[in-house]
């Protein structure tokens, strides 16, 4: 059984009273802003203060993480697991289904985390002060409740851990029925070579979500997409070719190649350079042969890009 209060007081050299006073203000120690989404609209980001980030990281790494298993089907936010690993189980399958959760992180509440800690024997119900302490440290105050924020370093692990039961049920069902399942944060991907197998999966997913004791999460029906080899197939930004290989896709490769070429003429701003570094880093994971060819053709420009990697 863990004891967060005792751990934090010893770790940071404070009294219990000092810790409680500080943590009572934690849910409001967030800087909020918006960033544009790739397909339009904006995503709300809430980053905790510098000191709160430190506490969140220390608590997870040194006290909680070892007690919070992540299912192998969850591919996001894990060490040595890339976005390509999310696509690999689906490469050889002809039929694909993609689904998406609505407001994934904010749908996970502090009460959900408390239920998770209790049901997994990490804390007992009688340790209400400890549960309150962790809720205040990991969750922000939004619209009258404590919710998981998009931007806190602790949110990815907490979300993956809380979704363990959901991932396990779908994984077992996939093995029984004959489909592959992976989850990359709020993106769900299913694939199979059985032509009609996936049509019932959306209803099954919705029912599993309803049956969960926690959290209360819903699917965004507008992002439920069926596809096959007759159409373009993409898994979290990775294109699946008809030969069953992972690719960046022609359009993205052409864009990266063009931007790398422009570096020689100093026509790239600092902001654009950082963005290009991100694209090249992603490409190096998905299709490293493409990056090697760019290194041969544009050695000076690629050296500039890879200095930071």
């Amino acid at each position: 059984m863990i004891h967060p209060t005792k751990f934090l007081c010893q770790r940071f050299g404070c009294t219990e009273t000092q810790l409680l006073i500080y943590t009572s203000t934690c849910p409001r120690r967030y800087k909020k802003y918006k960033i544009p989404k790739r397909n339009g609209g904006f995503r709300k980001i809430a980053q905790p203060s510098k000191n709160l980030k430190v506490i969140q990281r220390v608590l997870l790494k040194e006290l909680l993480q070892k007690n919070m298993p992540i299912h192998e089907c969850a591919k996001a936010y894990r060490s040595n697991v890339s976005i390509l690993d999310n696509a690999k189980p689906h490469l050889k399958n002809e039929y694909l289904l993609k689904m998406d959760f609505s407001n994934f992180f904010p749908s996970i509440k502090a009460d959900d985390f408390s239920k998770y800690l209790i049901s997994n024997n990490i804390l007992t119900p009688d340790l209400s002060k400890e549960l309150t302490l962790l809720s205040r440290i990991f969750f922000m105050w939004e619209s009258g409740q404590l919710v998981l924020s998009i931007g806190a370093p602790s949110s990815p692990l907490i979300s993956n851990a809380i979704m363990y039961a959901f991932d396990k049920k779908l994984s077992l069902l996939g093995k029984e029925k004959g489909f592959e399942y992976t989850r990359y944060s709020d993106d769900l991907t299913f694939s199979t070579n059985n032509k009609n197998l996936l049509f019932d999966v959306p209803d099954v997913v919705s029912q599993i979500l309803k049956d969960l004791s926690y959290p209360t999460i819903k699917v965004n029906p507008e992002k439920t997409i069926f596809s096959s080899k007759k159409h373009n197939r993409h898994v979290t930004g990775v294109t699946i070719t008809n030969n069953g290989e992972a690719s960046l896709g022609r359009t993205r490769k052409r864009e990266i190649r063009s931007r790398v070429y422009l570096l020689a003429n100093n026509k790239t701003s600092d902001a654009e350079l950082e963005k290009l570094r991100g694209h090249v880093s992603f490409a190096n994971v998905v299709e490293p042969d493409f990056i090697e060819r760019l290194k041969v053709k544009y050695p000076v420009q690629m050296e500039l890009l890879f200095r930071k990697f």
Side-chain angles (χ1 to χ4, degrees), residues 52-275:
L52 181 53
K53 281 183 181 180
V54 171
I55 294 174
Q56 290 174 343
R57 289 193 176 104
V58 167
L59 258 179
L60 284 180
K61 184 178 180 180
E62 300 183 21
L63 189 67
L64 289 171
Q65 190 168 352
K66 60 185 178 182
N67 298 305
M68 297 169 63
I70 307 301
H71 198 277
E72 62 181 4
C73 290
K75 304 298 184 180
Y77 320 123
R78 292 172 53 195
S79 299
N80 302 317
V81 178
S82 71
I83 202 166
L84 180 59
D85 292 308
N86 186 56
K88 282 181 177 178
H90 310 288
L91 294 179
K92 303 302 180 182
N93 290 335
E94 182 173 357
Y95 302 100
L96 191 73
L97 165 63
K98 295 191 296 182
M99 301 179 68
D100 190 275
F101 289 138
S102 295
N103 300 316
F104 179 50
F105 276 17
S107 293
I108 299 175
K109 311 294 193 301
D111 286 346
D112 299 323
F113 189 46
S114 294
K115 291 176 183 177
Y116 169 83
L117 294 172
I118 293 170
S119 63
N120 287 276
N121 297 316
I122 301 173
L123 280 173
T124 55
D126 58 295
L127 296 175
S128 58
K129 290 184 178 179
E130 302 287 15
L131 292 169
T132 299
L133 181 82
L134 293 178
S135 294
R136 289 174 174 175
I137 289 174
F138 291 124
F139 292 79
M140 74 170 184
W141 186 255
E142 182 74 23
S143 301
Q145 55 188 335
L146 292 173
V147 304
L148 206 58
S149 76
I150 302 174
S154 51
S155 293
L157 176 60
I158 290 175
S159 66
N160 271 343
I162 280 183
M163 295 303 293
Y164 183 90
F166 173 82
D167 292 333
K168 182 178 180 180
K169 287 183 179 181
L170 274 179
S171 177
L172 291 174
L173 185 63
K175 291 177 180 178
E176 176 187 339
K177 300 294 184 181
F179 63 77
E180 295 288 343
Y181 160 69
T182 61
R183 180 177 60 82
Y184 198 90
S185 188
D186 58 353
D187 292 317
L188 316 180
T189 305
F190 306 84
S191 67
T192 184
N193 282 317
N194 187 326
K195 185 176 182 179
N196 298 310
L197 182 63
L198 298 179
F199 290 125
D200 293 332
V201 170
D203 289 337
V204 172
V205 171
S206 295
Q207 188 59 52
I208 291 176
L209 288 172
K210 289 179 182 178
D211 292 340
L212 290 176
S213 299
Y214 58 85
T216 302
I217 294 178
K218 296 182 180 180
V219 169
N220 181 353
E222 295 181 358
K223 293 187 177 181
T224 297
I225 300 172
F226 293 91
S227 61
S228 67
K229 283 187 176 181
K230 295 179 181 179
H231 307 88
N232 292 328
R233 292 175 298 157
H234 307 278
V235 178
T236 49
V238 178
T239 297
I240 300 178
T241 69
N242 285 343
N243 294 327
E245 298 178 350
S247 171
L248 295 167
R250 294 178 182 177
T251 300
R252 182 173 289 183
K253 283 192 283 190
R254 185 165 53 247
E255 182 180 354
I256 292 175
R257 191 182 296 110
S258 175
R259 290 185 178 183
V260 170
Y261 169 77
L262 291 175
L263 284 177
N265 300 317
N266 295 319
K267 294 183 178 180
T268 303
S269 67
D270 289 342
E272 290 173 333
L273 181 61
E274 288 304 308
K275 186 175 181 180

Side-chain angles (χ1 to χ4, degrees), residues 248-307:
L248 295 167
R250 294 178 182 177
T251 300
R252 182 173 289 183
K253 283 192 283 190
R254 185 165 53 247
E255 182 180 354
I256 292 175
R257 191 182 296 110
S258 175
R259 290 185 178 183
V260 170
Y261 169 77
L262 291 175
L263 284 177
N265 300 317
N266 295 319
K267 294 183 178 180
T268 303
S269 67
D270 289 342
E272 290 173 333
L273 181 61
E274 288 304 308
K275 186 175 181 180
L276 179 55
R277 279 195 172 109
H279 287 305
V280 170
S281 178
F282 176 82
N284 196 43
V285 171
V286 176
E287 204 169 341
D289 289 347
F290 169 68
I291 296 301
E292 291 303 316
R293 292 195 296 272
L294 287 182
K295 287 180 179 179
V296 173
K297 191 170 184 179
Y298 306 108
V300 176
Q301 294 94 318
M302 294 302 289
E303 171 65 21
L304 173 63
L305 288 170
F306 271 82
R307 282 176 190 169

